[in-house]
Structure formats: C-alpha cells, structure tokens
C-alpha cells in the first residue's frame, strides 16, 4: 500500500551494503567486530573502533620517527657529568645571564646559544606563542659542549656539521618531570637530539597530565633512555604527538643535553608588536575643567546640571531644556560667562 516505504527500505539496504564494501576496501574487517576506517588524505589517517589497535598503530608511527644510538662511553659520561656539575655551580654563583637559568621544582633548565619563552612565561598561552629571546640574552654554548658532545655526534653521523645553535641542559631531581609538549615547530628545525646522563630513565609519548595531585595517563609509547644514549626525534615522533618525562621515571638524578637548530624565521620577543604608549593628558586647573562627553565624566556633568538648574529656577523659572552639552556651549561662547565649579565625588 505504501511502495515509497519499501523503496526507502531497499535504498537503506543498498547503502548499508555499499558502506560495508567501502570498509573492506579501505582496510580490514573481521569477525571480532574490529573495523578500521581509512580516510584518504595526505597524512593517511586511520581511526579504529578498538582502542588497543589504535594505540598499537600510534606506537608504530612514533617508533618510525625515533633513532637511538650508543655513542658515549662510561668514561666520557663521567667527564661530561662533571662539566654539568660545573654549570650548576656557576648558576648558583650567579655567573650566568638572567634568561640562561630557568628554575622549577625538581627540575632546572640552562639555556645556551638560544633561549625561548614557554609555559607560564607566555603573554598568551597556547602552541605557536613561544618566542626566542633577543640575541645575547642567554649565554653562549660552552666550549666543552662543542668539544665533548657536538663534535662526537658529528663524527658519528648523527647530526651534520654546523647544525646546532641551541643547547639546553635539563637537570632533574628524583620525582622531577616535564609535562607533555611538542618542541615548537615555528622555533626549532628537525631533528631534535638529546643525550642522557647520570642515570637511566624513560621518554613517554601521548600522555595527558593532571595536577593536584599530579597524575599521568597511560602513554602510547614508553621509550627507555639509558645513560650515555642519544635519542633523535623527527617526523611523527617530533611533530604529531606530545612527549614528556613522568615523575615515576626519574628515580635518581638525571640530566639531558638537548641539541637543536632554531629556524631562521623564528619570531623573537622584540618582534611581538606592543601597543604604543598613550601620552598622559594634561589636567586643566580645577576651576576651568571642561566637561567631557565621554561616559566617564557624565556623572560630574549631571551634578553640574543639578546645581545650575537650582540656580536658574529662582531667576528664570520658565527656562527648559537646559542640557549639559547645550549649556556648556553657551557658557563658553558667551564672553561674560561665569565659571561653574563642579562638585567632586
């Protein structure tokens, strides 16, 4: 009796059949109910109905952007660690410029070559707001970093000659951490190179932090980092997923030297436009202060009107429409106008 309803049902069956074909064509479907949807794009993005399968895929993507190599011997680590202790001592003695040292609970940062604003230092929060400090506001990269670390990495083929112009030393105490972040893409070129010292630890990817008390969600990938190991991040691991250091992974003191190259077009603090300073207006003498039509002055004008209306009502009882603006114009245009003293609130 209602053929259009039958057509609608048939149309739904055809659409459902087509959707099933698209799922099979785009990826996989099995009897366990797991479906993988493939969306064709430049980034070849995937979505999974199974969280475990999604995490496994994410972990593989992260691992594709990580290279770890053993470059430094135990003896070389001992020498470099003594140099790091000297940096800490010099900072305690106040021998560095203001923006070279950044202190936080259980973690200190030492910027050399280039430093940048981040976290609570930002005027506006959010990715892309980081700015390099002006040239000369942090100390130069120490000679021992060039001689003992950078030269060794260049000779090992980890980085090219002349790549590094920024070196940061992060010094963690037990229980220290650094929250999930992506090294600012508009500040630093890739790869990001880090060398670990003092103790073994772990670098985690894809965590979410909560505070008071501090809690960290399950990471997509936990990457062990041993003392003396070099970790190189690029691609997906550097750009498309956050990384962090969890408090539970710092069981002993640990330091890391992060070596990076700043982009030539990276913005600096002094390049951020600031609103021009407005000159302070000169105040007239109190008896000659004119009424301003702005709202801020309107209460004074109204008080003046009340006073004037009281005076004018005794001499000119039939006068009307004596607004503050019209009255003030007439009082200023008249040569013999008397001065009206405004009551101050």
């Amino acid at each position: 009796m209602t053929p259009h309803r039958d057509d609608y049902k048939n149309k739904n069956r055809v659409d459902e059949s087509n959707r099933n074909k698209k799922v099979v064509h785009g990826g996989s479907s099995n009897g366990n109910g797991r479906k993988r949807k493939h969306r064709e794009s430049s980034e070849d993005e995937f979505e999974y109905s199974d969280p475990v399968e999604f995490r496994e895929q994410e972990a593989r993507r992260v691992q594709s952007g990580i290279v770890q190599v053993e470059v430094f011997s135990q003896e070389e680590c001992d020498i470099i660690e003594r140099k790091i202790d000297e940096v800490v001592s010099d900072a305690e003695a106040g021998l560095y410029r203001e923006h070279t040292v950044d202190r936080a609970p259980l973690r200190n940062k030492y910027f050399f070559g280039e430093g940048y604003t981040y976290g609570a230092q930002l005027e506006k929060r959010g990715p892309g707001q980081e700015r390099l400090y002006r040239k000369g506001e942090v100390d130069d990269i120490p000679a021992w970093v060039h001689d003992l670390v950078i030269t060794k990495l260049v000779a090992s083929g980890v980085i090219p000659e002349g790549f590094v112009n920024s070196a940061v030393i992060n010094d963690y105490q037990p229980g220290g951490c650094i929250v999930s972040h992506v090294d600012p893409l508009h500040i630093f070129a890739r790869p990001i190179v880090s060398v670990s010292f003092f103790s073994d630890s772990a670098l985690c990817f894809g965590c979410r932090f909560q505070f008071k008390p501090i809690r960290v969600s399950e990471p997509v990938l936990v990457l062990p980092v041993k003392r003396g190991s070099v970790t190189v991040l690029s691609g997906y691991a550097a750009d498309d997923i956050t990384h962090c250091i969890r408090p539970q992974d710092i069981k002993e003191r640990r330091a890391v030297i992060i070596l990076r190259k700043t982009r030539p077009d990276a913005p600096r603090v002094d390049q951020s436009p600031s609103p021009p300073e407005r000159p302070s207006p000169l105040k007239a003498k109190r008896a000659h202060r004119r009424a301003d039509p702005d709202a801020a002055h309107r209460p004074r004008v109204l008080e003046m009107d009340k006073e004037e209306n009281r005076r004018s009502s005794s001499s000119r009882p039939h006068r009307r429409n004596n607004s503050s603006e019209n009255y003030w114009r007439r009082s200023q245009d008249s040569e013999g106008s008397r001065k009206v003293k405004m009551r101050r609130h």
Side-chain angles (χ1 to χ4, degrees):
M1 297 297 293
T2 54
H4 61 283
R5 294 184 179 178
D6 295 336
D7 293 341
Y8 178 76
K9 292 179 181 178
N10 293 334
K11 184 174 184 293
N12 284 344
R13 293 191 187 100
V14 173
D15 291 342
E16 184 66 25
S17 175
N18 290 337
R19 281 197 295 270
N20 291 337
K21 290 180 182 179
K22 289 180 181 178
V23 170
V24 174
H25 176 72
S28 65
S29 177
N30 52 42
N32 297 329
R34 297 193 303 178
K35 295 180 180 179
R36 186 177 74 176
K37 297 180 180 180
H38 171 62
R39 183 177 66 188
E40 294 183 0
S41 68
S42 59
E43 296 181 0
D44 197 28
E45 295 184 359
F46 292 81
E47 294 181 358
Y48 294 88
S49 59
D50 186 347
V52 175
E53 188 176 357
F54 170 76
R55 296 177 73 84
E56 290 176 353
Q57 176 68 17
E58 281 286 279
R60 287 192 292 269
R61 288 184 172 188
V62 175
Q63 288 173 331
S64 69
I66 299 174
V67 174
Q68 282 190 306
V69 292
E70 299 290 337
V71 175
F72 298 93
S73 66
Q74 297 302 310
E75 293 75 15
E76 290 171 324
C77 287
D78 290 338
I79 297 173
I80 294 171
E81 287 164 3
R82 287 195 291 269
K83 293 295 184 181
I84 294 175
D85 285 337
E86 291 178 9
V87 169
V88 174
S89 298
D90 290 344
E92 293 292 336
L95 301 182
Y96 291 128
R97 297 167 188 170
E98 177 184 359
H99 294 304
T100 296
V101 183
D102 177 37
R103 303 184 187 280
L106 303 179
R107 190 271 297 149
N108 290 338
K109 294 175 78 74
Y110 305 93
F111 292 98
F112 296 104
E114 293 282 8
Y116 67 101
T117 60
Y118 69 100
Q121 303 168 355
L122 300 177
E123 294 182 2
K124 295 182 180 180
R125 298 294 183 90
Q129 299 299 323
E130 299 88 352
R131 296 290 184 269
L132 289 174
Y133 287 118
R134 289 181 287 268
K135 283 286 189 180
E137 290 196 350
V138 302
D139 287 82
D140 294 334
I141 298 176
W144 67 264
V145 175
H146 283 288
D147 299 338
L148 302 178
V149 183
I150 297 176
T151 301
K152 184 86 172 179
L153 295 178
V154 171
S156 302
V158 177
I159 53 176
E161 180 73 35
F163 177 78
V164 176
N165 68 346
S166 169
V168 179
I169 300 176
N170 286 348
D171 189 12
Y172 299 92
Q173 299 303 316
C177 68
I178 189 165
V179 298
S180 298
H181 67 283
V182 172
D183 290 41
L185 288 161
H186 65 293
I187 298 289
F188 296 109
R190 270 41 179 171
I192 308 297
V193 181
S194 60
V195 191
S196 297
F197 296 100
F198 287 108
S199 66
D200 299 343
S201 182
L203 185 64
C204 293
F205 295 83
C207 295
R208 292 188 302 275
F209 273 66
Q210 293 181 330
F211 301 92
K212 296 181 181 181
I214 188 168
R215 301 181 302 281
V216 186
S217 67
E218 187 68 20
V220 170
L221 176 69
V222 178
L223 181 71
V225 286
K226 295 182 178 180
R227 179 184 180 228
S229 67
V230 180
T231 302
V232 184
L233 302 183
S234 60
Y236 194 88
D239 301 342
D240 299 300
I241 192 169
T242 59
H243 59 272
C244 68
I245 302 292
R246 300 181 301 179
Q248 58 264 40
D249 294 325
I250 306 293
K251 298 178 175 62
E252 304 175 55
R253 182 192 177 189
R254 183 221 179 197
V256 58
I257 301 178
I258 305 173
L259 304 171
R260 294 175 289 201
K261 179 180 179 63
T262 58
R263 297 185 182 277
D265 57 348
R268 294 188 179 274
V269 172
D270 57 354
Q271 292 178 355
S272 301
S274 57
E277 294 184 1
R278 299 181 62 182
S280 301
L282 296 176
K283 290 185 178 180
K285 292 182 179 180
R286 187 175 299 175
H288 295 278
R289 189 175 297 160
R290 294 185 53 140
D292 193 312
D294 293 341
H297 295 278
R298 200 155 290 149
R300 294 181 180 179
V301 176
L302 292 176
E303 186 66 28
M304 182 190 68
D305 287 348
K306 292 178 183 178
E307 183 179 350
E308 180 59 27
N309 286 336
R310 286 195 299 269
R311 294 177 180 177
S312 61
S313 60
S314 59
S315 60
R316 292 187 297 273
H318 300 291
R319 186 175 180 180
R320 296 180 181 179
N321 297 329
N322 189 24
S323 68
S324 62
E325 184 177 353
N326 292 335
Y327 172 75
W328 193 258
R329 287 176 180 172
R330 286 195 296 271
S331 64
Q332 292 297 309
D333 294 338
S334 302
E335 293 181 358
S337 63
R338 57 189 176 83
K339 300 174 182 176
V340 178
K341 184 176 181 180
M342 294 180 290
R343 184 178 299 172
R344 297 180 61 85
H345 296 271

